[in-house]
Amino acid sequence: MSESSRLEQLEQKEYFSGPYAIVIIPDANTNDRVRSLGRQLAPNAEFPTEIPHVTLFQAQVTDLPAKEVQKLLKELENLHGRQFDLYKLEIFANQYLFWDLKNTPQLQQAHEATLQLVKYVDPEKLKFAPHASLKLTEKQTESVKKYGHPLSGDAYLPHITLAADSKGLSLPGGINELPYQFTVESCRFSEMGKNGRVENLIEIPSNS
């Protein structure tokens, strides 16, 4: 069974409320590489990555129409089969181990296309003040206020999360640059869990 279908569920809903995202699912070989690298670099992490992905949009939404999601995923089909470059490892907000992508005009454009969903972000979440322990930059804090996520808009940082741990993570010495090219398998709508984990990949019937 492919990674994109392992946690897939069919939803008959017309509207979605809660933590959801539009994500890029990499090819199977990359998924295996990501999980292996996460175990190698953060063997005791509280939240190892199970469904590797690149987030295009993520937020706590209210009454997001299924038809809007379908329309957006159709627009993003031009990413299928495209190749992107991963290039370095970094620790974000003390708690996340990222494998960063080199941003490209096409990737940034895809991200910006997903920002049309911002109008469905729960207004209360836009008032959220990030905890000081996350050590967000001013740009990232403004992104939370504007989009409901610290890495959106001008602050967009495409990446695959290898692991997360609320107690903190660090990189082993001497490990930083790690070039690797992956192919996009698909773009999916997903229900999100704690620490940015994909809980379920949502399949919306065409008649929704």
Side-chain angles (χ1 to χ4, degrees), residues 21-76:
I22 303 291
V23 300
I24 291 172
I25 300 296
D27 62 277
N29 289 337
T30 298
N31 291 334
D32 290 341
R33 176 70 172 132
V34 166
R35 286 189 290 267
S36 175
L37 192 60
R39 290 192 297 267
Q40 174 190 339
L41 298 178
N44 301 313
E46 186 178 8
F47 299 103
T49 292
E50 295 183 3
I51 303 294
H53 61 280
V54 180
T55 301
L56 289 172
F57 172 86
Q58 179 181 340
Q60 187 88 13
V61 298
T62 300
D63 295 330
L64 169 60
K67 290 182 179 179
E68 288 288 314
V69 176
Q70 285 180 317
K71 178 183 175 183
L72 183 54
L73 291 177
K74 185 68 176 177
E75 292 178 21
L76 296 172

Side-chain angles (χ1 to χ4, degrees), residues 5-198:
S5 62
R6 190 163 68 89
L7 292 180
E8 187 171 306
Q9 67 181 46
L10 187 67
E11 284 286 6
Q12 302 287 346
K13 296 179 181 179
E14 294 185 11
Y15 298 92
F16 293 88
S17 295
Y20 289 94
I22 303 291
V23 300
I24 291 172
I25 300 296
D27 62 277
N29 289 337
T30 298
N31 291 334
D32 290 341
R33 176 70 172 132
V34 166
R35 286 189 290 267
S36 175
L37 192 60
R39 290 192 297 267
Q40 174 190 339
L41 298 178
N44 301 313
E46 186 178 8
F47 299 103
T49 292
E50 295 183 3
I51 303 294
H53 61 280
V54 180
T55 301
L56 289 172
F57 172 86
Q58 179 181 340
Q60 187 88 13
V61 298
T62 300
D63 295 330
L64 169 60
K67 290 182 179 179
E68 288 288 314
V69 176
Q70 285 180 317
K71 178 183 175 183
L72 183 54
L73 291 177
K74 185 68 176 177
E75 292 178 21
L76 296 172
E77 285 181 357
N78 64 352
L79 292 181
H80 296 184
R82 298 282 182 172
Q83 293 184 319
F84 294 103
D85 293 314
L86 294 149
Y87 75 108
K88 75 170 184 177
L89 301 168
E90 72 165 311
I91 300 296
F92 174 72
N94 296 323
Q95 299 178 12
Y96 301 87
L97 175 54
F98 283 0
W99 197 359
D100 292 343
L101 278 71
K102 290 182 179 178
N103 204 355
T104 67
Q106 186 180 33
L107 196 56
Q108 183 68 29
Q109 184 178 11
H111 164 64
E112 291 175 1
T114 67
L115 294 182
Q116 62 187 278
L117 302 183
V118 168
K119 58 181 173 284
Y120 300 105
V121 174
D122 183 344
E124 291 302 313
K125 297 300 178 182
L126 299 180
K127 301 175 184 177
F128 170 70
H131 195 278
S133 65
L134 294 179
K135 296 185 177 179
L136 299 183
T137 66
E138 182 177 347
K139 181 182 287 189
Q140 291 164 354
T141 301
E142 286 302 309
S143 177
V144 173
K145 295 176 181 177
K146 190 173 182 179
Y147 304 109
H149 191 278
L151 300 176
S152 293
D154 292 340
Y156 185 53
L157 176 63
H159 64 276
I160 296 176
T161 300
L162 300 179
D165 198 312
S166 59
K167 299 183 294 294
L169 288 172
S170 61
L171 272 174
I175 299 179
N176 185 272
E177 301 295 322
L178 190 62
Y180 186 92
Q181 190 173 75
F182 76 90
T183 301
V184 176
E185 178 189 284
S186 61
C187 294
R188 302 299 302 272
F189 181 54
S190 62
E191 181 181 9
M192 304 302 287
K194 192 173 183 179
N195 292 88
R197 288 158 56 96
V198 168

